[in-house]
């Protein structure tokens, strides 16, 4: 049946899946192809291995478990473009190559980067295995998203859920591919948003979540009012976001904290800090004689209460600052009173510091919950704020755009520059393709000297700033003009400067640059927070203020520059995968396509150059050694080692799979393969090889396990009778079948069982009445009890005269008081029950007793009482006025294996010859009799007639039934062939119930016989041709046997044929009708 996937409902072809196949490579053709696909709801498109993703601004239908299954392990070309395909490729490359991977998601704000990162993490979580510990790590990885989004994302004019921080999430894996750890690195939280927002924007989500979602008790305790009450929320006049449920998100945030392992008391203090910041913002100041004074003392109390600090001390630290004064070689501290503007600045600095440190704590809490002592493999997902241009662009936008500039540089380095350089180095024929290298823009921003970059000039100005430093920004503008004024990517204007980024020109407002870059938290405020009564708040401010700091303080700019370069180094050590996100409009509405906006993004993302390099280049390259190691298994000459030059070994492999010569080129040290399809051909052949080997190993293991299990079952059953009862020669080594009635084909019997009731044992037995008259009964054992089913003639109604099955008796396990047997080799046993007992005879009594004992012990929690004596007594059922009482069965020594019955009054005398000694045990297969030191694999071939192992956990799917035919005592359908690996062809099986019996299957076309001959020493091969031999020993069939392979003979019950050879393995050679072959020795008796 064909697999369903999400494209099958829409046969319309929407442009091309991979833009390498575009007939014209122009920006217009790329935009047109993306538009065509976008309008048909196909948001993903490839450029070779690079995934282009267009934000649909709606939930798409193809992110279900069905798609996860579809893309898992599939080649890229097999399915439509999808983020799951890229993620699966990343995951498999990590496991195959043993190398760390990273996914770099880039694009402007609102292009869908955060959602893409979530889908990547969700897919990895679903396809990777693992136990409880791994599941815990997966839960934390997934729950970290809502928590970090609540505290780190906000609504901007460009994006309703804009990441206001950068995040590089490393998911760490064991060598088996299970996620067992992780680590988050966060960059440059936009702290300024805590205290001010632009029009139509919001503060961080957590504030609105708290206001909407907190319980009445929480609101009272935290002093929560409506958002317009708070200065830190009411400046933009925007409180709601379309499609966002703040109340629901609040509960998700709290649940995430719980999963991550943040204790309940710390969760409460986290909310106190969030509320405390809101109340802190409402403390306002008035000018009083050039000094700032708190306007309303009442407003001090609540933030002080929430932060557990003294309100008077809070007032003091907001309106004055301790300064160190040096005079005449002496140093002393003096208190300087602040003016209104300085006091407001100090309040905002405290709010920003509290929030930023709280955010760092949350990131660290996640890291602690999933950290592992040593790294093995990892997949890093970079979800960082997108390139953005606002009406007013300040210091934060400058830093954000710088990081995006660095990411673009990596993309250029690895996909355009490095690829072309590699072709030249390896001697591959190549025509260079021109592209814009943005390294010149990165140097303009981050250069240290000659000329110094914008950040270096900024740090120099900040180093000479005093207090608030009102004139510092003006000085910065002048120094920038002097240092980089002539740079082709730099211009200045009256309020700031312009940088020509790869994504366009951005005008930066110089106002506040120096102050935000300096990012100093005054010691007074640290001291104030260290006086909090809450240990948690004190732990957020761990500085030691007594140390004399003489070093230049770290600025925000130098920190982000260092973080960006560290990030680049980390990414360069990984195998990168790219997702280029495109934002189709500014309206945030689905199916809205702004042509000029998309074309601008296509241009600055360098998609045209990317396609040209891809078309001219090679999809895959690998050094000769690694290529040989990976595909050596394909030929005998290369496995396990190629003897000769590596290049020749690679060529040998390519020729062995008949790869066209125009599909690859040999470099100096690497093989270059042009199309992915050629590579997938190699991978598919390699997979087939491994699949064959894996199946061989699995079959061997399953045979071994099944043999051990059945031997154990036989031994456990034998233990019940050991030293207590003589054994029959033909039953001691018999495999257990379970269902000898073929209940699946017997609805007339199954009607008495529940719908999904499992059958442990079913057989036709002889039941003896009070006069010792034998009556046939069907005995069925299930986890619910024992059923005895008989037949009666219908006395009236439309079915009058017909014979119908009737449930004669059902015995609950709790009502069974024990079992009695003789010490002889007979098949009689008495089932003792609270009301009356049943005398029964069954060929398979040992199997029945074993299964009954286990069920009884499982349910009643004690062993089933079993007694052995040659004088048995049983109570009979009362009938009418008389009857009842008891009967006696006496066993005596006689001749032969068949029991002779002689009833006399209330006593039944049974005589039978001696059987095997009471101490007899089943012989183990694969024992010393095997030749060549190997194990007896023939004996491990699995079980005809649906033989199954006993399981304590009942499942309907475990039930397997045999054919219903019966002939005398043994079943007409053959008993299980010793260790045979296939179910009998003669048996009828329930196909739904074969799921747990897969280990019984082997390939058809006689492979089982071939494999048996290869791997088994003890079973003698059949003679190649039947030849006439003198009359020798003969044997008679005790049961029917149907040969399972061409080297075996078949016979019916009572057939007589020549015995050519006996073998200690149990597989004898016989001759019948001119054909010589193998058969199981315990199916016959010698005559």
């Amino acid at each position: 049946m064909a697999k369903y996937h999400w494209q099958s409902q829409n046969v319309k072809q929407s442009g091309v899946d991979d833009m390498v196949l575009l007939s014209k490579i122009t920006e217009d053709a790329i935009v047109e192809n993306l538009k065509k696909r976008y309008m048909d709801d196909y948001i993903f498109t490839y450029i070779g291995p690079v995934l282009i993703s267009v934000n649909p601004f709606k939930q798409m239908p193809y992110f279900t478990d069905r798609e996860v299954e579809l893309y898992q392990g599939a080649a890229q070309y097999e399915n439509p473009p999808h983020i799951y395909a890229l993620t699966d490729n990343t995951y498999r490359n990590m496991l195959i190559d043993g190398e760390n991977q990273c996914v770099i998601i880039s694009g402007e704000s609102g292009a869908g980067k955060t959602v893409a990162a979530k889908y990547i993490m969700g897919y990895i979580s679903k396809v990777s295995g693992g136990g409880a510990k791994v599941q815990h790590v997966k839960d934390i990885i997934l729950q970290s998203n809502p928590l970090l989004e609540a505290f780190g994302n906000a609504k901007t004019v460009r994006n309703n859920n804009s990441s206001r921080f950068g995040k590089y999430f490393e998911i760490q894996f064991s060598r088996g591919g299970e996620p067992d750890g992780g680590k988050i690195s966060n960059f440059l939280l936009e702290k300024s948003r805590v205290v001010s927002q632009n029009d139509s924007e919001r503060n961080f989500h957590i504030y609105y979540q708290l206001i909407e979602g907190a319980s009445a008790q929480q609101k009272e305790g935290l002093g929560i009012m409506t958002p317009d009450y708070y200065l830190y929320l009411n400046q933009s006049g925007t409180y709601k976001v379309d499609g966002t449920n703040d109340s629901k998100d609040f509960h998700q945030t709290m649940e995430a904290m719980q999963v991550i392992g943040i204790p309940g008391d710390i969760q409460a203090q986290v909310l106190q800090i969030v509320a405390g910041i809101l109340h802190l913002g409402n403390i306002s100041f008035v000018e009083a004689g050039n000094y700032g004074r708190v306007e309303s003392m009442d407003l001090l109390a609540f933030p002080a209460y929430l932060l557990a600090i003294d309100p008077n001390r809070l007032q003091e630290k907001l309106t004055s600052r301790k300064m160190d004064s040096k005079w005449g070689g002496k140093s002393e501290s003096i208190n300087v009173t602040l003016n209104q503007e300085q006091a407001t600045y100090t309040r905002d600095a405290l709010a920003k510091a509290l929030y930023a440190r709280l955010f760092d704590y949350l990131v660290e809490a996640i890291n602690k919950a999933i950290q592992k002592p040593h790294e093995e493999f990892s997949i890093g997902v970079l979800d960082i704020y997108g390139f953005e241009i606002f009406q007013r662009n300040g210091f934060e936008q400058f830093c954000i755009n710088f990081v995006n500039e660095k990411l673009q540089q990596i993309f250029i380095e690895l996909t355009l520059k490095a690829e072309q350089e590699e072709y030249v180095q390896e001697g591959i024929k190549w025509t260079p393709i021109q592209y814009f290298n943005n390294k010149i823009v990165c140097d303009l921003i981050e250069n240290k000297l000659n000329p110094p970059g914008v950040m270096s000039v900024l740090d120099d100005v900040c180093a000479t700033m005093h207090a608030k430093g009102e004139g510092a920004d003006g000085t910065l503008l002048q120094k920038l003009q002097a240092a980089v004024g002539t740079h082709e990517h730099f211009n200045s204007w009256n309020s700031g400067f312009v940088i020509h980024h790869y994504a366009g020109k951005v005008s930066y407002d110089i106002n506040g640059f120096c102050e935000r870059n300096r990012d100093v938290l005054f010691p007074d405020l640290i001291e104030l927070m260290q006086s909090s009564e809450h240990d948690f708040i004190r732990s957020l401010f761990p500085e030691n203020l007594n140390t004399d700091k003489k070093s230049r303080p770290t600025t925000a700019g130098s920190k982000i520059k260092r973080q960006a370069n560290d990030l680049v180094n980390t990414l360069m050590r990984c195998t990168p995968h790219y997702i280029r996100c495109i934002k189709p409009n500014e309206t945030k509405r689905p199916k809205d396509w702004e042509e000029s906006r998309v074309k601008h993004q296509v241009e600055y993302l360098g998609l045209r150059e990317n396609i040209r390099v891809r078309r001219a280049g090679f999809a895959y390259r690998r050094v000769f050694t690694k290529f040989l190691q990976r595909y050596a298994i394909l030929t005998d000459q290369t496995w396990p080692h190629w003897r000769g030059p590596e290049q020749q070994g690679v060529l040998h492999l390519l020729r062995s799979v008949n790869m066209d010569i125009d599909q690859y080129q040999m470099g100096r040290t690497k093989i270059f393969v042009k199309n992915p399809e050629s590579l997938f051909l190699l991978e598919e052949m390699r997979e087939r090889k491994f699949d064959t080997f894996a199946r061989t190993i699995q079959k061997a293991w399953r045979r071994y396990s099944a043999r051990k299990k059945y031997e154990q079952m036989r031994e456990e059953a034998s233990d019940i009778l050991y030293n207590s009862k003589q054994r029959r020669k033909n039953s001691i080594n018999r495999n257990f079948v379970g269902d000898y009635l073929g209940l699946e084909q017997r609805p007339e019997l199954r009607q008495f069982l529940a719908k999904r009731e499992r059958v442990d044992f079913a057989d036709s037995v002889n039941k003896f009445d009070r006069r010792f008259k034998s009556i046939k009964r069907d005995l069925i054992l299930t986890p619910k009890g024992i059923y005895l089913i008989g037949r009666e003639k219908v006395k009236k109604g439309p079915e009058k005269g017909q014979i119908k099955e009737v449930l004669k008796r059902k015995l609950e396990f709790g009502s069974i008081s024990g079992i009695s047997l003789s010490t002889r080799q007979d098949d009689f046993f008495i089932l003792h029950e609270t009301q009356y007992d049943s005398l029964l005879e069954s060929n398979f009594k040992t199997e029945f007793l074993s299964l009954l004992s286990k069920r009884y012990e499982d349910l009643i929690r004690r062993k089933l009482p079993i007694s052995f004596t040659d004088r048995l007594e049983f109570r009979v059922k009362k009938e009418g006025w008389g009857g009842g009482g008891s009967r006696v069965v006496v066993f005596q020594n006689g001749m032969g294996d068949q029991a002779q019955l002689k009833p006399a009054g209330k006593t039944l005398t049974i005589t039978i010859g001696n059987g095997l000694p009471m101490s007899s045990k089943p012989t183990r297969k694969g024992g010393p009799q095997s030749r060549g030191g190997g194990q007896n694999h023939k004996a491990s071939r699995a079980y005809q007639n649906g033989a199954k192992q006993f399981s304590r956990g009942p499942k309907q799917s475990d039930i397997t039934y045999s054919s219903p035919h019966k002939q005398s005592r043994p079943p007409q359908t053959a008993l299980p062939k010793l260790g045979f690996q296939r179910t009998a062809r003669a048996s009828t099986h329930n196909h739904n119930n074969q799921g747990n019996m897969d280990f019984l299957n082997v390939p058809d076309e006689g492979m089982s016989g071939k494999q048996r001959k290869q791997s088994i020493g003890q079973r003698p091969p059949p003679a190649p041709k039947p030849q006439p031999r003198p009359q020798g020993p003969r044997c008679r069939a005790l049961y029917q046997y149907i040969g399972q392979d061409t080297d075996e003979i078949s016979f019916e019950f009572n057939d007589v044929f020549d015995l050519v050879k006996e073998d200690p393995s149990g597989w004898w050679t016989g001759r019948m009708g001119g054909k010589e072959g193998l058969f199981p020795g315990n199916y016959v008796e010698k005559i």
Side-chain angles (χ1 to χ4, degrees):
M1 186 175 136
K3 279 186 177 178
Y4 163 79
H5 69 70
W6 53 271
Q7 254 199 346
S8 64
Q9 301 305 310
N10 187 355
V11 292
K12 179 183 175 185
Q13 182 64 34
S14 293
V16 293
D17 282 357
D18 190 333
M19 292 197 284
V20 169
L21 304 174
L22 282 173
S23 52
K24 287 168 69 179
I25 312 175
T26 63
E27 268 91 7
D28 288 337
I30 295 167
V31 172
E32 183 58 33
N33 188 67
L34 291 174
K35 179 182 180 182
K36 207 178 284 182
R37 293 178 62 76
Y38 178 76
M39 290 303 182
D40 287 334
D41 280 342
Y42 300 142
I43 63 171
F44 297 120
T45 310
Y46 291 132
I47 297 178
V50 177
L51 183 69
I52 313 299
S53 171
V54 185
N55 190 343
F57 292 106
K58 66 177 181 180
Q59 181 60 48
M60 304 307 285
Y62 37 78
F63 293 97
T64 67
D65 288 346
R66 183 69 194 87
E67 279 70 43
V68 171
E69 185 186 326
L70 191 67
Y71 283 89
Q72 189 175 353
Q76 180 176 306
Y77 65 86
E78 287 181 31
N79 296 310
H82 202 291
I83 195 167
Y84 287 170
L86 178 134
T87 311
D88 190 72
N89 188 35
T90 305
Y91 181 64
R92 280 191 295 145
N93 280 4
M94 176 192 74
L95 294 177
I96 290 167
D97 298 330
E99 294 173 357
N100 292 342
Q101 313 284 309
C102 65
V103 182
I104 301 173
I105 310 172
S106 55
E108 62 184 55
S109 181
K113 298 182 299 300
T114 299
V115 175
K118 283 191 217 170
Y119 281 129
I120 290 170
M121 289 192 270
Y123 181 85
I124 290 171
S125 174
K126 283 177 181 170
V127 300
S128 52
K133 181 178 181 294
V134 170
Q135 189 55 49
H136 178 63
V137 170
K138 288 181 183 180
D139 290 343
I140 293 172
I141 289 170
L142 297 177
Q143 287 292 341
S144 66
N145 280 321
L147 182 60
L148 293 180
E149 280 187 20
F151 284 85
N153 288 27
K155 178 196 183 314
T156 67
V157 290
R158 290 184 173 274
N159 183 0
N160 288 346
N161 187 31
S162 177
S163 298
R164 309 315 300 164
F165 72 107
K167 174 178 70 173
Y168 183 61
F169 202 136
E170 285 178 86
I171 306 173
Q172 294 163 349
F173 295 83
S174 66
R175 295 198 171 273
E178 298 171 339
D180 58 356
K183 181 185 172 188
I184 297 176
S185 306
N186 63 307
F187 312 97
L188 189 74
L189 179 73
E190 188 189 30
K191 294 186 291 187
S192 60
R193 184 167 294 272
V194 175
V195 299
S196 67
Q197 308 86 41
N198 295 330
D199 287 346
S200 301
E201 297 194 352
R202 294 206 311 178
N203 207 321
F204 292 103
H205 294 325
I206 185 62
Y207 292 112
Y208 308 91
Q209 290 180 9
L210 179 63
I211 290 169
E212 293 294 327
S215 65
Q217 187 181 354
Q218 284 175 316
K219 287 182 180 180
E220 186 180 348
L222 299 173
I224 298 299
M225 314 288 278
T226 54
D228 56 357
Y229 170 76
Y230 301 104
L231 175 71
Y232 284 168
L233 303 183
N234 64 20
Q235 298 167 53
S236 68
T238 301
Y239 307 113
K240 298 280 185 189
V241 177
D242 290 341
T244 299
N245 184 333
D246 289 315
S247 176
K248 182 183 169 190
D249 291 348
F250 175 72
H251 295 295
Q252 285 185 351
T253 302
M254 298 309 292
E255 184 187 338
M257 280 202 245
Q258 193 69 36
V259 170
I260 285 154
I262 298 174
D265 59 327
I266 302 297
Q267 292 180 33
Q269 290 186 37
V270 167
L271 297 183
Q272 279 184 238
I273 293 172
V274 172
I277 290 169
L278 287 179
H279 288 285
L280 200 59
N282 280 10
I283 300 173
S284 54
F285 304 93
V286 291
E287 197 79 33
N290 283 342
Y291 298 126
R293 177 174 61 79
V294 173
E295 185 174 13
S296 170
M297 299 299 286
D298 294 343
L299 293 173
L300 275 169
F302 217 82
Y305 158 72
L306 291 172
L307 300 174
I309 52 179
D310 181 73
N312 295 322
R313 199 160 183 200
L314 174 61
Q315 180 195 10
E316 178 194 338
K317 296 300 181 185
L318 291 178
T319 55
S320 66
R321 184 178 306 154
K322 196 184 290 182
M323 303 279 284
D324 289 336
S325 173
K326 292 185 179 179
W327 183 259
K330 290 183 179 180
S331 178
E332 61 174 329
S333 292
I334 56 171
N335 268 340
V336 176
T337 309
L338 307 177
N339 62 27
Q340 181 192 3
E341 188 183 354
Q342 289 169 330
T344 303
Y345 172 82
T346 304
R347 176 201 68 194
D348 291 348
L350 176 59
K352 289 189 287 186
L354 268 168
Y355 194 85
R357 292 181 184 220
L358 178 60
F359 187 78
D360 287 342
Y361 162 79
L362 294 173
V363 171
E364 193 53 39
I366 296 168
N367 284 339
K368 278 182 182 172
I370 53 176
Q371 68 184 356
K372 58 187 279 194
H374 60 279
E375 288 188 29
E376 290 170 288
F377 298 139
S378 69
I379 294 177
V381 182
L382 181 65
D383 171 23
I384 208 154
Y385 20 55
F387 187 90
E388 57 189 25
I389 306 172
F390 292 122
Q391 192 73 34
R392 178 192 173 281
N393 302 290
F395 176 73
E396 282 83 5
Q397 278 66 48
F398 173 72
C399 292
I400 286 169
N401 292 343
F402 162 67
V403 173
N404 277 273
E405 200 77 55
K406 292 291 286 185
L407 291 181
Q408 176 69 2
Q409 191 183 4
I410 288 184
F411 185 78
I412 288 168
E413 281 283 334
L414 295 178
T415 59
L416 302 175
K417 182 169 178 278
E419 188 160 341
Q420 296 195 72
E421 286 175 356
E422 185 178 39
Y423 295 147
V424 174
Q425 287 165 8
E426 288 286 327
I428 302 294
K429 295 172 190 170
W430 183 253
T431 306
I433 289 167
Q434 298 301 314
Y435 59 90
F436 169 66
N437 190 338
N438 73 328
K439 185 177 186 298
I440 188 170
V441 182
C442 293
D443 290 344
L444 165 67
I445 296 171
E446 65 175 340
N447 246 14
K448 289 187 177 177
L449 295 168
N450 299 326
V454 174
M455 283 186 167
S456 295
V457 175
L458 178 58
D459 283 354
D460 285 340
V461 173
C462 288
T464 58
M465 272 177 69
H466 300 289
K468 175 98 172 35
E470 287 85 353
D473 291 332
T475 307
L476 170 63
L477 198 52
Q478 290 170 8
K479 291 200 170 186
L480 283 175
Q481 186 60 45
V484 292
T486 57
H487 197 288
E488 60 178 311
H489 291 274
F490 180 91
N491 298 111
S492 59
W493 59 296
N494 55 358
S495 297
F497 59 92
V498 177
I499 288 183
H500 299 232
H501 287 285
Y502 77 98
K505 294 181 183 179
V506 183
S507 303
Y508 294 104
D509 189 334
I510 202 81
N511 186 33
F513 249 70
C514 292
E515 195 57 58
R516 286 175 178 172
N517 181 55
R518 196 166 68 145
D519 195 31
V520 175
L521 185 63
F522 297 115
D524 298 64
L525 298 179
I526 295 173
E527 200 179 288
L528 172 67
M529 298 320 296
Q530 288 177 345
S531 71
S532 171
E533 292 173 16
H534 291 326
D535 292 342
F536 174 63
I537 292 177
R538 289 203 302 275
S539 72
L540 298 179
F541 294 83
E543 291 91 341
N544 186 352
L545 298 176
N546 297 322
T547 55
D548 189 15
K549 285 186 76 178
K550 292 184 179 177
S551 59
R552 188 165 162 178
T554 306
T555 60
S558 60
K559 185 179 176 185
I560 196 68
K561 184 165 76 170
R562 187 188 73 247
Q563 286 180 327
N565 285 309
D566 287 348
L567 176 64
V568 167
N569 293 333
T570 302
L571 296 175
M572 294 293 254
R573 287 195 298 271
C574 302
T575 303
H577 305 262
Y578 303 96
I579 301 176
R580 312 289 264 168
C581 295
I582 288 178
K583 186 178 184 182
N585 61 62
E586 277 299 329
T587 61
K588 303 171 197 156
R589 289 204 309 263
K591 296 284 178 93
D592 189 0
W593 185 266
E594 293 179 24
E595 194 92 9
S596 58
R597 173 167 296 284
V598 176
K599 188 175 180 182
H600 174 64
Q601 292 171 76
V602 166
E603 286 171 355
Y604 75 64
L605 289 172
L607 299 191
R608 182 169 63 99
E609 292 80 3
N610 194 192
I611 294 171
R612 291 181 62 201
V613 169
R614 191 76 210 163
R615 270 175 82 146
F618 296 83
Y620 172 86
R621 74 282 325 266
R622 196 53 107 237
V623 292
F624 294 144
T625 314
K626 281 202 169 185
F627 186 87
L628 265 175
Q629 282 172 353
R630 179 143 187 83
Y631 300 110
I633 200 169
L634 295 182
T635 70
D636 294 337
Q637 291 82 1
T638 50
W639 180 263
H641 299 293
W642 168 258
R643 303 188 185 282
E646 289 175 341
Q647 191 168 6
Q648 292 303 313
V650 171
L651 276 170
H652 170 78
L653 280 170
L654 295 172
R655 287 167 184 157
S656 74
V657 298
N658 299 318
M659 189 177 288
D660 293 339
I661 198 159
D662 62 349
Q663 285 300 304
Y664 64 89
Q665 276 198 50
M666 304 293 285
R668 295 188 177 96
T669 64
K670 294 180 181 178
I671 168 72
F672 291 81
V673 179
K674 194 158 187 67
N675 290 323
E677 290 78 4
S678 304
L679 178 66
F680 294 139
L681 166 73
L682 285 165
E683 281 295 315
E684 198 172 307
M685 295 180 76
R686 182 177 179 272
E687 287 289 328
R688 280 187 201 161
K689 281 278 187 185
F690 274 112
D691 190 53
T692 304
F693 296 155
R695 284 174 186 272
T696 304
I697 294 166
Q698 284 172 348
K699 278 187 284 185
W701 173 250
R702 284 169 180 161
R703 280 199 304 268
Y704 172 79
S705 301
R707 188 179 74 233
K708 289 290 183 193
K709 181 68 180 172
Y710 272 74
E711 285 174 353
Q712 183 188 346
M713 284 175 66
R714 255 200 326 270
E715 284 182 10
E716 286 174 0
S718 179
D719 287 344
I720 297 173
L721 308 183
Y722 185 66
N723 279 342
S724 298
K725 188 172 176 68
Q726 296 173 6
R727 302 300 306 274
R728 281 189 180 277
K729 179 176 63 174
N730 292 317
S731 74
I732 192 162
N733 285 321
R734 187 182 61 76
N735 280 331
F736 292 170
V737 173
D739 175 18
Y740 297 94
L741 296 178
L743 284 188
E744 177 160 272
Q745 308 300 325
R746 309 284 295 276
E748 72 277 11
L749 296 179
R750 280 208 71 94
Q751 65 175 314
F752 302 110
L753 279 57
K755 188 174 182 182
R756 297 193 177 276
E757 194 168 349
R758 175 194 166 124
V759 174
D760 292 333
F761 179 86
D763 182 35
S764 182
V765 301
N766 292 324
K767 188 250 180 196
F768 293 85
D769 64 11
R770 65 181 60 245
R771 297 180 184 85
F772 303 115
K773 183 183 172 186
S774 170
I775 312 159
K776 286 286 181 189
R777 291 281 186 265
D778 289 327
L779 172 72
I780 301 174
L781 173 66
T782 78
K784 293 186 177 179
I786 298 170
Y787 298 81
L788 281 167
I789 299 168
R791 283 149 190 83
E792 286 182 359
K793 192 179 281 189
V794 180
K795 293 179 180 175
K796 52 184 171 182
E799 295 180 336
K800 183 179 177 182
Q802 293 184 22
I803 303 295
K804 287 286 181 182
E805 286 69 20
V806 178
L807 180 61
K808 289 293 187 178
R809 194 169 189 198
K810 182 181 178 184
L811 302 175
E812 306 287 342
F813 293 114
S815 68
I816 297 171
S817 57
I819 302 282
S820 296
L821 301 97
S822 77
T823 63
R824 308 280 171 182
Q825 65 161 328
D826 62 277
D827 293 323
F828 291 87
F829 62 94
I830 297 173
L831 206 53
H832 296 286
E833 199 252 359
T834 50
Q835 291 182 344
Y836 61 94
D837 308 327
S838 296
L839 173 60
L840 304 171
E841 181 188 20
S842 169
N843 274 1
F844 309 116
K845 65 183 179 308
T846 312
E847 181 177 354
F848 171 71
L849 285 177
S850 171
L851 297 170
L852 174 61
S853 297
K854 285 180 181 174
R855 281 283 174 222
Y856 188 89
E857 197 171 333
D858 285 349
L859 291 162
I860 309 301
R861 303 296 178 196
R862 65 173 185 269
K863 286 192 177 298
L864 175 67
I866 302 176
S867 61
F868 299 89
T869 175
D870 286 345
R871 188 180 187 282
L872 306 179
E873 192 172 326
F874 67 99
R875 292 173 299 120
V876 294
K877 184 180 180 183
K878 286 187 178 182
E879 291 180 355
W881 295 98
S886 62
R887 299 291 183 269
V888 174
V889 184
V890 177
F891 292 84
Q892 293 178 353
N893 195 19
M895 300 292 290
D897 294 338
Q898 298 299 319
Q900 303 297 321
L901 280 61
K902 186 177 179 184
K906 295 187 177 182
T907 302
L908 173 66
T909 303
I910 299 174
T911 57
I912 191 166
N914 287 329
L916 296 175
M918 293 182 183
S919 57
S920 301
K921 293 280 262 182
T923 55
R924 269 188 173 276
K925 296 180 179 59
Q929 70 265 31
S930 62
R931 295 195 292 272
Q935 289 208 328
N936 183 355
H937 291 272
K938 176 71 183 185
S940 72
R941 291 166 64 186
Y943 318 102
Q944 190 178 326
N945 292 349
K948 60 180 174 50
Q949 49 199 55
F950 182 89
S951 166
R952 290 174 184 266
K955 282 187 186 173
Q956 176 69 10
S957 60
D958 290 337
I959 304 173
T960 331
Y961 303 115
S962 66
S963 297
H965 312 297
K966 302 278 289 178
Q967 178 170 336
S968 73
R969 287 312 313 130
Q972 185 174 335
T973 46
L975 284 174
K977 178 179 172 183
L978 292 180
F980 188 57
Q981 178 79 18
R982 243 184 354 231
T983 49
R985 297 178 189 123
S987 300
T988 307
H989 294 282
N990 179 359
H991 295 288
N992 296 328
N993 293 333
Q994 288 181 335
N996 292 335
M997 304 298 284
D998 287 346
F999 68 93
L1000 302 178
N1001 300 330
V1002 295
D1004 281 337
E1005 301 178 354
M1007 280 301 289
S1008 62
K1010 180 180 173 185
Q1011 190 169 335
R1012 186 172 65 244
K1013 284 176 238 169
Q1014 289 173 349
S1015 61
I1016 297 156
Q1018 72 276 20
R1019 175 176 155 180
K1025 291 179 183 176
Q1027 293 177 4
R1029 299 191 182 184
Q1031 183 72 31
R1034 293 168 70 75
C1035 52
R1036 177 184 288 109
L1038 296 172
Y1039 312 109
Q1040 177 203 46
Y1041 178 70
I1042 299 169
Q1044 301 296 303
D1045 258 315
T1046 53
D1047 59 352
E1048 294 168 15
I1049 58 172
S1050 302
F1051 46 78
E1052 297 296 325
F1053 170 70
N1054 240 2
D1055 279 354
V1056 176
F1057 54 93
D1058 295 337
L1059 175 59
V1060 176
K1061 184 179 178 184
E1062 294 180 55
D1063 191 89
S1065 70
W1067 282 97
W1068 296 358
T1069 306
R1071 189 186 308 111
M1072 188 175 185
K1075 180 185 176 186
E1076 201 168 284
L1078 300 164
F1079 66 91
N1082 63 344
Y1083 274 54
V1084 301
E1085 63 178 358
K1086 285 163 59 175
I1087 54 175

